[in-house]
Amino acid sequence: MQHITKAVFPVAGLGTRFLPATKAQPKEMLPVVDKPLIQYAIEEAYDAGIREMIFITGRTKRPIEDHFDMAYELETELQAAGKLELLKVVQSIKPEDMECVFIRQPKMLGLGHAVLCAQQLINGDPFAVLLADDLMVGEKPIMKQMVEQFAEWRASIIAVQEVPPEHTKRYGIVGGTHVRDRLVDVAKIVEKPAPEEAPSNLGVAGRYILTPGVLDEIRMQPKGVGGEIQLTDGIAGMLRREKVFAYCYEGKRYDCGSKEGFLQASVELALAHPQLGPGFRDYLKNLEL
């Protein structure tokens, strides 16, 4: 049985919605409680059994590469000071069996183009795509849920969630037939349609498992919405010859590409933190608003 061993992380965006905080650091390195956004996505992929992490980066993204590299001086100082718990935390960022590969996206031409940049490393295998802007949590990690779906159906799986009809312009929207409670056999996928043109209210979230055929479709696609090469259009083209399923995942998504979603994630994950949560909850209760 073919397993999902590779994941693509498109991280070349400029993060303009978070300026000035992102003027000198990638938005993916903004911390939610005690970890940067990108680390949540990497840990989710790792927990799903994925070991090869492919980052599609830009010229301002060196801190991401540094974060997943060995910090020799820091580790030496922690070891010498006997701060072994902190040393363990630092070393756990990149487990020994995890490989990180960085590919420069020469021009930001859209999500589809970013995924296409990983083609040589994908090498004809099915692969995952995780968007770090979408911080997603569940009792079972979202990507692990999707890997299990792929193992059963052997076809592309797209994470979806119900969205208000007035928000369809913000998402790729799928339409199709329910084959079981949380799974839809996709017949149509449209990028950011107007509410009256949307085939449903199921919006694509930032998690995908895709078969390599999508790369051929992306390569043939003209520029789509926003003048960019859209991953959604590539998936739509793939529907002509392959099954694609939309999976209504069990869990919660925080849109950390927006300031409001980032703040929501920071508060809710702080409350759920085993050490910080109780004290933070008491602080909020006593806060005079």
Side-chain angles (χ1 to χ4, degrees):
M1 183 176 69
Q2 195 169 21
H3 296 284
I4 305 299
T5 62
K6 303 173 182 179
V8 177
F9 300 85
V11 294
L14 295 176
T16 53
R17 284 191 284 180
F18 279 87
L19 286 170
T22 51
K23 180 178 182 290
Q25 71 168 330
K27 63 179 177 179
E28 296 84 6
M29 290 301 296
L30 294 176
V32 175
V33 188
D34 54 359
K35 290 186 289 192
L37 272 173
I38 186 63
Q39 189 172 332
Y40 286 96
I42 292 292
E43 290 177 356
E44 182 186 334
Y46 188 87
D47 287 344
I50 296 168
R51 294 296 181 265
E52 186 173 340
M53 313 299 181
I54 304 168
F55 298 80
I56 309 302
T57 71
R59 59 184 299 273
T60 62
K61 302 294 179 153
R62 180 61 186 269
I64 297 175
E65 187 170 350
D66 290 343
H67 184 69
F68 292 100
D69 196 2
M70 179 181 180
Y72 177 78
E73 296 85 355
L74 175 60
E75 293 185 24
T76 300
E77 288 293 330
L78 292 174
Q79 180 78 50
K83 298 180 179 179
L84 301 185
E85 285 300 315
L86 287 176
L87 178 62
K88 185 178 178 180
V89 169
V90 171
Q91 292 176 335
S92 71
I93 292 172
K94 182 184 178 298
E96 290 186 1
D97 62 343
M98 187 174 85
E99 182 179 3
C100 295
V101 183
F102 298 84
I103 299 174
R104 180 72 64 89
Q105 185 180 15
K107 292 183 180 180
M108 287 181 288
L109 299 177
L111 179 57
H113 179 263
V115 171
L116 195 60
C117 288
Q119 181 172 6
Q120 285 188 312
L121 289 175
I122 289 167
N123 194 30
D125 295 325
F127 62 99
V129 178
L130 296 89
L131 307 186
D133 280 2
D134 285 341
L135 199 168
M136 299 172 70
V137 296
E139 186 172 337
K140 179 184 292 185
I142 309 305
M143 184 50 63
K144 188 170 186 178
Q145 296 176 38
M146 296 178 66
V147 165
E148 291 174 356
Q149 293 296 320
F150 178 82
E152 179 176 357
W153 295 93
R154 317 307 299 169
S156 295
I157 309 288
I158 308 169
V160 295
Q161 63 184 35
E162 291 188 359
V163 301
E166 64 271 20
H167 290 175
T168 59
K169 287 185 177 181
R170 304 179 185 179
Y171 298 88
I173 303 293
V174 305
T177 305
H178 281 267
V179 294
R180 61 171 57 163
D181 183 33
R182 290 185 172 273
L183 203 69
V184 174
D185 186 348
V186 177
K188 187 176 185 180
I189 181 168
V190 184
E191 182 68 16
K192 299 178 181 177
E196 62 273 13
E197 297 172 355
S200 75
N201 69 331
L202 291 177
V204 177
R207 300 292 184 272
Y208 310 78
I209 293 178
L210 300 170
T211 59
V214 74
L215 300 171
D216 294 329
E217 295 295 337
I218 294 171
R219 196 182 304 106
M220 294 186 293
Q221 292 296 325
K223 291 181 179 179
V225 173
E228 296 183 337
I229 298 172
Q230 298 287 351
L231 179 58
T232 300
D233 293 339
I235 296 170
M238 193 167 56
L239 287 171
R240 301 192 310 268
R241 52 190 173 81
E242 292 186 29
K243 284 283 190 183
V244 176
F245 293 97
Y247 174 64
C248 300
Y249 61 89
E250 297 184 65
K252 185 167 184 177
R253 165 184 172 267
Y254 299 95
D255 177 12
C256 290
S258 71
K259 292 178 183 177
E260 182 180 19
F262 184 86
L263 291 171
Q264 290 170 352
S266 298
V267 170
E268 293 189 25
L269 268 64
L271 289 171
H273 194 282
Q275 284 80 44
L276 301 175
F280 187 55
R281 187 178 301 276
D282 290 341
Y283 165 75
L284 292 178
K285 286 180 180 178
N286 296 321
L287 188 65
E288 295 183 8
L289 299 176

